[in-house]
Amino acid sequence: MTEIGSSDLGATPAKLPTSVRRQPGVARLWFYLLLLPPVLWLGLLIILPHIQLFILSLKEKVAPRVYTYGLDNYIGFFNEPLYWMTLLRTATISILATALTLVIAFPVAYYIAKMLRGRTKNLIFVLALLPFWVSELVRTLGWIMLLRETGIISNTLLSLGLIPERVELLGNDAAIITGLVYTSMLFMVVPLINSLDSLDDSLIEAAYDLGGKGVAILREIIIPHAMPGIVAGSIVVFMLTLGNIVTPAFLGGKNSIWFTDQIYQKFIVRFNWEQGSAFGFLLLITSSLVVWLGLKLTRQSLAKTIT
Amino acid sequence: MNDTQIPDLETTDVVKNFGATVAVDQVNFEVKKGAFFSILGPSGCGKTTLMRMIAGFEGPSSGDILIRGSSVIDVPPNRRPVNMVFQHLALFPMMNVAKNIGYGLRRRGISGKEIDRAVDAVLERVGLPGMGPRKIDQLSGGQKQRIAIARCLILEPTLLLLDEPLGALDLKLREQMKIELKQLQAEIGTTFLYITHDQSEALVMSDQVAVMNHGRFEQVATPQELYYRPNTSFVAGFVGDANRWSGKVETVSGDELRLHGQGGVAIVATAVGGISVGMDVEIFVRPESVFISRAEAEIAEFDNKIEGAVDSLLFDGGRSSALISVAGDDRDISVALPQTGQFSNLQAGEKVYLGWQADQTRCFAANNVGS
Ligand SMILES: Nc1ncnc2c1ncn2[C@@H]1O[C@H](COP(=O)(O)OP(=O)(O)OP(=O)(O)O)[C@@H](O)[C@H]1O
Ligand SMILES: [Mg+2]
């Protein structure tokens, strides 16, 4: 009652403070509203499923519909050589494919970033991206056309008389690596071009002027400058490669199973979600470990890469 | 003995074309051992291009470049006895100061201990002892400047090229570095080839200055000569301040010309180059060549005499000047004010008398006007 009375008497001075006080409240509401999508996205799509997976991975089936909790799913992984050998192989080949992608992408990125100018530069850049407008599935099928026994390469070699009979180029690690490198190129080239673009040409010229030669300049000037791009590209490519499922499944054979395929088998074929979850976690741990080791070895940090 | 006769740098008819643009056009000059040689010119006149050809980053379209008497056209930049301080310094941000300075010696395969000693010595020389472990982004502009020079000096080049190295500094620091650079050069005796578009830098520091315009050298001379005896109207207009008239020659007797400037001011001037009656010409008079007085009698002895009124006073400490409006000329004449005190109470609107000699009034044919 008193409040109504006072606001009736001195309308403006009483109202003004409330409207001012309301402003920060509105701002805060907006802040939370804007924060909502990323929080929902992180929470619903990443954190929640992972918690669920983690709980699932600790469940053990003792009898139909009877579960206890324990580390059996993880112990099972280490007791079966097929499992951990596959993971080890997958990680090794992924590292190899990442390194190969870097080695191939670097000259390409350097050429686009440093040697080309103006419109040609944009044109070549777009041309380099062009294959990635097609879905990964189609691109992988393209490689099958090339590599299979009755494929283009085999036929060409045969008609040239270079081989006595047709060869099967699919179903081995080399085929997988080829496909993975091809699929990953974009994710390496783009960050590399970004970091090389910011390298001042006069630094390279100064190094020459002071007596430097090609390899020394590459090692001491260009690579250190491009390091954030190299790290970013390598992490992305490694993660994508390790978690890839299409390319290894299509290009690999029975002797080169990818770890993702094992997870798929557990979930979909065996319907063993518990062990599948454990495998999923092991993959996550492996990739984190490799990335961490890689950063340590090259004395880089994620923070440096982002800034 | 003969060593001193051979110039450290010599260019003969150097030309550089970029497609249809001629960036450097028939440049001939030589730089004596131990000299501080500057190339002065407006933006885009081809200074950097010329320097890049000397450093080896660009090949001349024609002509030859000789260092210590031998052609370096086929020598790559990393094997020329020339080092360059870049326009934006180009210090390596991925290395600390000591690593930056030691870079060239490391490339020569010199042992680590020796490099450390040399780095310390050169840091001492440029006045930054103990700076070795600093990172590049922890240096001030002037310090970066000195590190960039130290990085070249440690290699003891025959010739040090500097491309507007003071361009990025603020005015105060630039003034200070100007003097420091000149002292450093005198101390170490390395031949400097210095590029600038700032005439004050060129005049203060150099033994010899080449004024460049549209890819050509207009004049190569000592700073004094350039200032007092410019050979072309471009040099007269570009180096220092000048009052400028255009007109048509009326009479010629020897070197002395008489004419009326545009607006009708009668002028007696000295001809530079062949000038005949009826030619369109440009006339230049330095503000400090103009004598100013309040009494008409005092200007009686001058070849050129005129009376006017103070239009405005431009106070700039020791370099103060006045703009004087004269009858029949729509542009004011700029006059340097003597700092002896008798003009400290000069008022706008006051009547004054101006006088200047014919030999300080230089007259050029108008067809070779620069930008
Ligand atoms: N690589 C190039 N390709 C084409 N034209 C060029 C190239 N480099 C320089 N030029 C042209 O040559 C001319 C001279 O350029 P230069 O860089 O030598 O000028 P500058 O005197 O150093 O100018 P500033 O004082 O602005 O640095 C300019 O017209 C420029 O556009
Ligand atoms: Mg330049």
Side-chain angles (χ1 to χ4, degrees):
Chain A
M1 281 309 269
T2 41
E3 241 183 49
I4 293 167
S6 69
S7 74
D8 267 9
L9 284 172
T12 21
K15 262 182 189 160
L16 195 66
T18 22
S19 66
V20 168
R21 226 180 297 139
R22 201 175 286 149
Q23 222 94 61
V26 171
R28 206 172 309 142
L29 184 68
W30 267 112
F31 175 73
Y32 287 128
L33 272 177
L34 285 173
L35 206 63
L36 206 59
V39 166
L40 278 180
W41 180 70
L42 267 174
L44 291 181
L45 292 169
I46 298 181
I47 297 174
L48 260 184
H50 273 84
I51 293 171
Q52 194 79 63
L53 269 181
F54 184 64
I55 294 169
L56 207 58
S57 76
L58 294 174
K59 271 188 177 171
E60 289 159 20
K61 205 178 201 169
V62 245
R65 286 168 213 270
V66 185
Y67 295 94
T68 59
Y69 286 92
L71 287 173
D72 251 26
N73 289 324
Y74 292 91
I75 293 164
F77 167 83
F78 289 103
N79 282 341
E80 172 56 60
L82 175 68
Y83 295 156
W84 60 260
M85 290 275 278
T86 308
L87 181 57
L88 202 68
R89 245 176 39 86
T90 305
T92 314
I93 294 179
S94 293
I95 292 170
L96 202 71
T98 306
L100 213 61
T101 310
L102 177 61
V103 169
I104 296 170
F106 201 90
V108 175
Y110 189 84
Y111 181 75
I112 293 175
K114 293 277 100 173
M115 317 283 238
L116 297 178
R117 300 254 174 277
R119 278 179 57 177
T120 0
K121 180 172 178 162
N122 294 334
L123 186 74
I124 300 285
F125 185 48
V126 170
L127 278 182
L129 302 189
L130 213 55
F132 296 88
W133 293 3
V134 177
S135 95
E136 191 188 342
L137 190 67
V138 175
R139 269 181 283 137
T140 309
L141 287 170
W143 276 108
I144 293 180
M145 298 293 163
L146 286 174
L147 297 177
R148 66 185 170 160
E149 199 174 349
T150 53
I152 292 165
I153 294 176
S154 177
N155 272 343
T156 311
L157 288 177
L158 185 71
S159 61
L160 286 176
L162 292 173
I163 44 172
E165 54 190 40
R166 287 202 165 89
V167 281
E168 176 63 273
L169 297 167
L170 282 173
N172 52 46
D173 290 349
I176 295 186
I177 291 177
T178 310
L180 287 174
V181 167
Y182 180 68
T183 309
S184 312
M185 265 329 246
L186 172 74
F187 303 98
M188 191 64 97
V189 168
V190 171
L192 281 182
I193 287 181
N194 253 327
S195 65
L196 284 172
D197 243 346
S198 67
L199 175 62
D200 189 353
D201 285 344
S202 67
L203 286 189
I204 300 172
E205 287 183 344
Y208 263 112
D209 186 62
L210 295 165
K213 288 188 197 65
V215 180
I217 293 173
L218 184 70
R219 207 186 58 231
E220 290 196 75
I221 313 289
I222 300 172
I223 291 181
H225 180 92
M227 212 55 193
I230 294 175
V231 170
S234 299
I235 290 177
V236 172
V237 168
F238 175 74
M239 297 279 203
L240 286 176
T241 306
L242 196 70
N244 196 324
I245 188 153
V246 175
T247 306
F250 278 50
L251 301 180
K254 296 204 168 46
N255 304 323
S256 37
I257 303 166
W258 214 243
F259 194 66
T260 44
D261 192 50
Q262 300 240 348
I263 300 177
Y264 174 82
Q265 298 280 338
K266 288 285 171 219
F267 272 94
I268 309 297
V269 181
R270 304 272 164 74
F271 222 67
N272 186 348
W273 282 42
E274 294 77 26
Q275 190 150 37
S277 304
F279 280 20
F281 255 85
L282 285 163
L283 189 68
L284 180 67
I285 290 167
T286 310
S287 66
S288 309
L289 207 70
V290 170
V291 167
W292 178 80
L293 256 175
L295 287 173
K296 273 273 157 305
L297 283 178
T298 53
R299 294 201 203 86
Q300 295 294 312
S301 73
L302 268 184
K304 238 197 278 178
T305 305
I306 291 160
T307 49
Chain B
M1 288 297 102
N2 204 20
D3 209 37
T4 48
Q5 257 75 64
I6 301 172
D8 270 359
L9 172 71
E10 193 180 348
T11 71
T12 50
D13 294 330
V14 167
V15 176
K16 179 72 188 180
N17 303 310
F18 290 113
T21 28
V22 185
V24 174
D25 192 7
Q26 298 275 333
V27 167
N28 285 295
F29 73 112
E30 50 176 76
V31 181
K32 296 223 161 47
K33 189 174 163 54
F36 196 125
F37 190 103
S38 293
I39 299 174
L40 172 65
S43 184
C45 71
K47 305 181 296 290
T48 300
T49 307
L50 178 59
M51 184 164 274
R52 288 172 60 80
M53 286 193 282
I54 296 166
F57 297 120
E58 216 87 67
S61 306
S62 69
D64 200 0
I65 297 168
L66 298 100
I67 293 174
R68 284 264 169 90
S70 49
S71 173
V72 290
I73 295 296
D74 299 321
V75 182
N78 52 1
R79 288 205 274 115
R80 291 193 187 188
V82 182
N83 289 114
M84 182 157 169
V85 177
F86 285 75
Q87 199 158 3
H88 300 288
L89 305 182
L91 292 170
F92 305 134
M94 57 289 278
M95 302 178 197
N96 65 17
V97 168
K99 283 266 157 57
N100 260 280
I101 296 178
Y103 183 86
L105 291 181
R106 277 206 303 287
R107 293 274 67 77
R108 287 183 184 175
I110 292 176
S111 81
K113 270 214 193 85
E114 243 173 286
I115 294 177
D116 291 346
R117 221 174 303 129
V119 168
D120 286 345
V122 78
L123 275 175
E124 192 90 41
R125 166 157 282 164
V126 297
L128 296 172
M131 282 287 196
R134 285 275 191 102
K135 280 196 180 147
I136 296 303
D137 53 16
Q138 295 170 333
L139 299 173
S140 74
Q143 288 169 337
K144 279 185 193 158
Q145 198 63 64
R146 279 178 265 183
I147 298 301
I149 292 168
R151 188 173 70 172
C152 293
L153 288 183
I154 201 170
L155 297 172
E156 295 173 351
T158 304
L159 181 65
L160 184 64
L161 308 175
L162 301 104
D163 186 357
E164 305 200 23
L166 307 186
L169 304 182
D170 61 69
L171 192 67
K172 256 267 161 29
L173 192 55
R174 205 150 64 207
E175 294 298 317
Q176 184 194 334
M177 284 302 296
K178 244 193 285 194
I179 299 160
E180 275 186 32
L181 257 181
K182 175 148 183 74
Q183 285 172 343
L184 184 72
Q185 194 269 340
E187 230 173 84
I188 57 177
T190 305
T191 313
F192 274 36
L193 180 62
Y194 188 95
I195 285 186
T196 181
H197 63 253
D198 179 322
Q199 43 133 336
S200 140
E201 280 176 27
L203 295 182
V204 168
M205 294 196 279
S206 324
D207 303 316
Q208 286 251 296
V209 180
V211 179
M212 197 172 183
N213 186 30
H214 294 311
R216 285 174 170 274
F217 276 9
E218 297 254 341
Q219 187 174 0
V220 184
T222 62
Q224 289 82 354
E225 230 174 275
L226 274 188
Y227 193 82
Y228 292 114
R229 284 184 295 284
N231 274 346
T232 66
S233 60
F234 176 79
V235 176
F238 191 72
V239 180
D241 299 322
N243 293 297
R244 190 169 182 163
W245 290 274
S246 48
K248 221 180 196 59
V249 179
E250 286 153 12
T251 65
V252 180
S253 55
D255 266 353
E256 199 172 89
L257 309 173
R258 276 165 197 282
L259 63 136
H260 280 82
Q262 102 261 41
V265 183
I267 295 171
V268 187
T270 309
V272 181
I275 285 175
S276 51
V277 175
M279 260 174 125
D280 286 319
V281 289
E282 287 212 87
I283 305 104
F284 293 84
V285 182
R286 302 243 178 252
E288 67 271 23
S289 304
V290 181
F291 180 82
I292 179 170
S293 171
R294 283 173 168 129
E296 191 169 7
E298 285 183 25
I299 60 163
E301 78 215 56
F302 288 99
D303 300 326
N304 293 286
K305 297 182 268 277
I306 201 165
E307 81 175 63
V310 177
D311 195 29
S312 52
L313 291 162
L314 307 174
F315 181 76
D316 185 13
R319 299 174 44 189
S320 301
S321 59
L323 296 177
I324 314 294
S325 64
V326 291
D329 194 348
D330 48 343
R331 279 182 308 173
D332 290 343
I333 299 177
S334 167
V335 180
L337 288 178
Q339 294 300 302
T340 43
Q342 79 261 38
F343 289 105
S344 56
N345 57 354
L346 198 65
Q347 298 287 325
E350 219 175 299
K351 189 170 180 178
V352 289
Y353 298 91
L354 307 177
W356 65 92
Q357 298 293 21
D359 62 354
Q360 288 175 321
T361 312
R362 295 177 75 81
C363 183
F364 305 92
N367 53 4
N368 63 343
V369 182
S371 56

